[in-house]
Amino acid sequence: MTPMEKAGWTPLPHSDEDLQRAKSVPDTPQTRAETYRLAWNDPDFMTRRELRPVRLQLELLKPEMILAERGIRSTVILFGGARLPEPGGEAWAAKNETQKKNLELNSKYYEEARKFARLCSQQSATSYYREFVVVTGGGPGVMEAGNRGADDVGAPSIGLNIVLPHEQAPNAYVTPELCFNFHYFAIRKMHFVMRAKAVAVFPGGFGTMDEFFETLTLIQTGRMERVPVILFGKAFWQRAIDLDFLAEQGTISPGDQDIIDFVDTADEAWEIVRRFYSL
């Protein structure tokens, strides 16, 4: 079945047909003019500031359609630092000896992320990879470990990449047809949480904190269903954030800390997810 047949019969020409016709016209000053381009096939027009609402809609729609067509109903998010190396790997992001030592020490979480992704993906296989599909930010470090863990057991996984000032290519373990790229952080964040059944957060920096606290806010305010939110590395997170202090100060409610579980291993984390969903 062709894409046109899947879309349904219409007596009017499909846009992909007209796109080919528009390309086959004679080469003249008129046909070379920017104004002659079909609006939706004109990069200069589509990137105008006035078209931002359209671009926001397209970034929401494209991955949503592809994931729905794939039958993916739920995901497990792996957030964490891009700078964490694989155990035994080079701490490429270290700026001094202290950072090098700590990044190498925290590299154990690369392996735990990889193992947790394998456990999630083995469960995902029981639903023909429709439930508990691993999703990461698509980059290096913990993100690579998550996609790699899924790949270890032959499972698909999603990568939600974003265009950054410095070059970041998708890691080699993201399933190619589930590898997306975003301009807008806000739309990317929506795609992270829209199908999330669990959120695993590994040691990381500003980006990890941003994604973690946004998820907490959605759950705390009731805008998102309660799902397991699991922090890997109790010692790391107890130094990085102090939720008990916030509760003492009255800026969060007593008990808001209970949204979070702390673990050190993938087995502990999967047991939390397993109990929560009675798997």
Side-chain angles (χ1 to χ4, degrees):
M1 183 178 289
T2 68
M4 287 181 286
E5 287 171 333
K6 287 175 66 177
W9 182 84
T10 172
L12 304 174
H14 287 270
S15 55
D16 55 347
E17 293 175 311
D18 267 359
L19 178 60
Q20 294 306 314
R21 290 168 182 157
K23 290 178 179 177
S24 65
V25 297
D27 182 20
T28 68
Q30 290 75 23
T31 61
R32 288 195 297 270
E34 292 182 7
T35 51
Y36 183 76
R37 297 174 189 163
L38 290 166
W40 42 267
N41 193 43
D42 182 349
D44 295 324
F45 176 68
M46 288 298 295
T47 52
R48 287 179 59 154
R49 290 192 176 186
E50 299 92 333
L51 271 288
R52 180 177 292 156
V54 176
R55 293 195 301 274
L56 284 162
Q57 182 181 20
L58 291 173
E59 284 210 343
L60 181 63
L61 191 58
K62 180 182 176 181
E64 175 63 21
M65 289 174 64
I66 292 170
L67 294 175
E69 288 168 359
R70 183 89 177 209
I72 294 174
R73 296 191 291 256
S74 72
T75 57
V76 176
I77 309 171
L78 274 71
F79 291 139
R83 305 180 184 199
L84 263 63
E86 180 181 2
E90 179 189 1
W92 55 270
K95 299 297 189 289
N96 53 53
E97 284 304 311
T98 299
Q99 288 196 347
K100 182 176 184 293
K101 180 188 74 173
N102 287 324
L103 285 170
E104 289 174 351
L105 185 65
N106 285 321
S107 68
K108 62 187 176 184
Y109 294 113
Y110 180 107
E111 199 55 44
E112 292 303 326
R114 185 176 175 182
K115 182 175 181 181
F116 181 64
R118 285 201 297 267
L119 293 169
C120 295
S121 298
Q122 286 165 347
Q123 176 64 37
S124 183
T126 66
S127 65
Y128 301 98
Y129 305 114
R130 293 184 176 94
E131 306 280 357
F132 295 98
V133 179
V134 167
V135 57
T136 81
V142 167
M143 296 174 279
E144 176 186 285
N147 297 118
R148 187 174 181 181
D151 188 67
D152 286 340
V153 292
S157 68
I158 304 164
L160 305 181
N161 298 268
I162 190 147
V163 179
L164 297 173
H166 52 278
E167 181 179 354
Q168 179 184 307
N171 70 67
Y173 302 100
V174 180
T175 300
E177 57 269 28
L178 296 175
C179 187
F180 301 99
N181 201 16
F182 292 86
H183 173 70
Y184 296 106
F185 266 105
I187 302 300
R188 179 178 182 246
K189 288 176 180 177
M190 286 187 67
H191 279 293
F192 269 125
V193 300
M194 281 167 63
R195 288 174 166 82
K197 274 194 171 177
V199 182
V201 188
F202 295 80
F206 289 159
T208 302
M209 297 277 192
D210 175 45
E211 293 155 343
F212 167 52
F213 277 105
E214 185 136 35
T215 305
L216 281 188
T217 302
L218 289 169
I219 294 173
Q220 182 206 42
T221 57
R223 294 305 304 269
M224 177 178 174
E225 292 288 335
R226 179 75 178 268
V227 301
V229 178
I230 305 165
L231 294 185
F232 277 75
K234 189 170 185 178
F236 175 91
W237 288 109
Q238 286 183 331
R239 286 286 306 275
I241 58 174
D242 191 343
L243 297 183
D244 290 333
F245 174 75
L246 295 181
E248 289 170 6
Q249 297 300 306
T251 55
I252 64 174
S253 298
D256 279 347
Q257 311 98 301
D258 299 336
I259 296 173
I260 302 164
D261 289 294
F262 292 92
V263 302
D264 287 308
T265 69
D267 288 326
E268 292 175 272
W270 181 248
E271 181 60 20
I272 290 169
V273 176
R274 190 192 66 77
R275 287 201 314 266
F276 190 91
Y277 292 105
S278 301
L279 298 174

